[in-house]
Amino acid sequence: MSAPMNGSHDVDGIRQALHSVASTYDLSAGLDRTLRDIPVAQRRCLSLLATCEGATMQELASRLGAKAPAMSQIIDRLVRRGMVERRADSQDRRVCRLHLTLNGRSLIQRARDGQDQKLALALENLDADTRDSLLKGLQALVNDDRK
């Protein structure tokens, strides 16, 4: 059984901590200028596309909470940057699938490597029990089916 929440103080504290963690381990953290020059919406799109290669624009828009016209602009800009390419669907030529280019994939990999290094250094300061509790707590937040 979990401990009762201490009102809005718990929610505020956890929200602030999650925001700080997200900011600290953002894809642009400690990276070269190329990634820092890419707007946040485009970075989020690249990061998501790295996990769902071949998604449609509608699928990305839905997962990012974006409207179709905004998503179209984001993809257009990423295509012009040489980070994303559009490919016709093999089953339905009317459907356009989105894929990272080698350039886009390389950029995301460098970003993730930077994140991993920074996170590994931070985790070295925590004992095994604290790391285990942190992981279990984060997994519980992600897996909470009451979202």
Side-chain angles (χ1 to χ4, degrees):
M1 183 120 183
S2 61
M5 291 218 359
N6 187 17
S8 66
H9 176 71
D10 285 347
V11 172
D12 289 343
I14 290 170
R15 180 181 27 77
Q16 289 171 4
L18 288 172
H19 177 73
S20 294
V21 168
S23 296
T24 301
Y25 300 101
D26 177 52
L27 272 177
S28 64
L31 265 207
D32 61 42
R33 187 175 175 173
T34 306
L35 191 58
R36 286 193 309 264
D37 287 346
I38 297 175
V40 173
Q42 291 178 34
R43 287 195 312 247
R44 289 182 63 219
C45 185
L46 285 172
S47 182
L48 180 58
L49 195 51
T51 64
C52 57
E53 187 87 16
T56 65
M57 200 158 336
Q58 292 81 9
E59 291 166 346
L60 286 179
S62 174
R63 294 198 48 195
L64 291 171
K67 304 254 186 250
M71 193 78 246
S72 182
Q73 288 180 350
I74 290 168
I75 296 301
D76 287 345
R77 289 178 180 130
L78 289 170
V79 167
R80 282 195 301 272
R81 287 179 181 268
M83 304 286 178
V84 171
E85 63 184 6
R86 293 178 174 98
R87 297 183 197 159
D89 184 275
S90 61
Q91 306 296 315
D92 185 347
R93 304 285 292 166
R94 297 170 298 174
V95 175
C96 177
R97 299 266 170 206
L98 302 168
H99 297 269
L100 291 176
T101 62
L102 186 57
N103 208 15
R105 194 171 293 109
S106 173
L107 191 65
I108 289 298
Q109 189 57 54
R110 288 194 334 260
R112 291 197 172 148
D113 289 348
Q115 285 176 314
D116 289 351
Q117 287 177 333
K118 196 170 186 180
L119 185 56
L121 286 172
L123 291 174
E124 285 178 2
N125 295 321
L126 304 177
D127 62 59
D129 288 340
T130 302
R131 286 192 307 268
D132 187 51
S133 294
L134 175 62
L135 178 60
K136 286 179 183 173
L138 291 172
Q139 288 171 333
L141 282 175
V142 170
N143 295 327
D144 184 356
D145 60 0
R146 295 177 293 168
K147 297 184 246 185

